[in-house]
Amino acid sequence: MPHPAAPAPGKLPFVVWMLAAGTFLMGTTEFVIAGILPDIAPDLGTSVSHAGLLVTAFAAGMILGGPTMALATLRLPQRLTLVLALTVFAAGHILAALTSSFTVVLAARFVTALATGAFWAVGFVIATAAAGPANATRAVSVMMGGLTLANVVGVPAGSLAGHITGWRGLFWVLAALAALAAAVIGRFLPRTPQRARVSVRDEIRALRQGRLWLALAAAVLIMGGVLATYTYITPLLTDRAGIPAGAVPLVLVAFGTGALGGTAIGGRFGDRHPMATTIPAAAATALALLALIPLSTTPPAAVTLTS
């Protein structure tokens, strides 16, 4: 059965909002580690710096998971792919919550990221097809909005919950929410036609464009610098700036709000003035990260620069 008729411009189908909720859940998992890293490290018998590998493992899984899982699941029904991705996502969190081995948690994070990559790769296709050409861009924006909202709401709330219930309690909650999302998507997502076969050779040929690699390299350098700092934001704020641990979720809210505002501004001006938007933004990011080195011992400056 094909997708239902595309809605009128300005109105998005319910499936897009379901997928945005899934993106919110997975985005929360990706970034919430930064808020609970000091809680996880001693419980798993490792240092905070070594526990940062949990972020690295997730990032590596996402890098491999997006393109690899998209190709691996081409012959599976899209609804089944999403349900399986959410099921693996939930299982990864359950496994991590039950073990006391850092290595097992590291592997669980990697597998969870593979599932996240599969969900996003298929979810964006479903969202744009369900919304129709007139609403495709808005559908993608709504799904990405779930990721941005995760930084504003999900990560601070998850960090606070992790401090109250322990990080294992937080992982159980994330697993339960993923299982609920799998049930809802399995019940309400419309059936879609079998996807056409895609030539792997054609997909690889598209990667030969030099400008594409230049853009990817710039994104890797910028986001790598930001996330390397964000990973250790909690010890940076508590140990170096002297901010109470209970105030860290508020700083994470400020970070997420800044990310939301930057996304809105960049989206508004980026289409019309791409270079004039991208270059100043990258320069401002570099200056803020550089200023953190001498100024992170001052609470107001640390909060301002990390927001």
Side-chain angles (χ1 to χ4, degrees), residues 65-273:
T68 304
M69 299 306 293
L71 292 174
T73 59
L74 276 176
R75 297 189 179 184
L76 291 179
Q78 292 175 331
R79 181 170 64 176
L80 176 60
T81 300
L82 294 183
V83 171
L84 286 176
L86 286 165
T87 302
V88 172
F89 183 91
H93 283 81
I94 292 173
L95 178 62
L98 290 174
T99 186
S100 58
S101 167
F102 177 78
T103 302
V104 173
V105 176
L106 196 68
R109 288 281 292 174
F110 181 79
V111 172
T112 299
L114 290 178
T116 301
F119 183 91
W120 286 358
V122 176
F124 280 116
V125 174
I126 294 177
T128 53
N135 294 326
T137 301
R138 184 165 175 241
V140 171
S141 177
V142 168
M143 276 198 67
M144 288 302 298
L147 181 60
T148 305
L149 191 62
N151 280 312
V152 179
V153 178
V155 172
S159 178
L160 182 61
H163 290 313
I164 295 173
T165 66
W167 69 272
R168 296 178 191 274
L170 172 62
F171 272 44
W172 279 110
V173 170
L174 290 170
L177 290 175
L180 177 61
V184 171
I185 286 178
R187 172 65 178 82
F188 294 104
L189 185 69
R191 292 183 180 272
T192 55
Q194 185 71 30
R195 287 174 278 178
R197 292 190 63 181
V198 177
S199 169
V200 176
R201 182 177 300 176
D202 290 340
E203 295 297 312
I204 295 176
R205 188 179 296 121
L207 297 176
R208 295 178 180 176
Q209 303 177 45
R211 297 178 68 179
L212 172 62
W213 285 103
L214 180 62
L216 288 174
V220 167
L221 291 174
I222 295 170
M223 292 305 299
V226 172
L227 292 180
T229 303
Y230 186 74
T231 298
Y232 299 102
I233 190 171
T234 297
L236 177 81
L237 294 172
T238 56
D239 298 345
R240 188 165 173 82
I243 295 174
V248 171
L250 298 178
V251 180
L252 295 178
V253 170
F255 179 92
T257 303
L260 180 62
T263 301
I265 294 171
R268 187 177 185 84
F269 295 104
D271 286 338
R272 289 176 291 175
H273 309 287

Side-chain angles (χ1 to χ4, degrees), residues 23-51:
T23 303
F24 169 82
L25 175 64
M26 293 181 165
T28 298
T29 285
E30 180 178 2
F31 296 114
V32 76
I33 289 292
I36 58 176
L37 209 59
D39 301 312
I40 293 179
D43 194 28
L44 295 178
T46 189
S47 65
V48 172
S49 59
H50 192 234

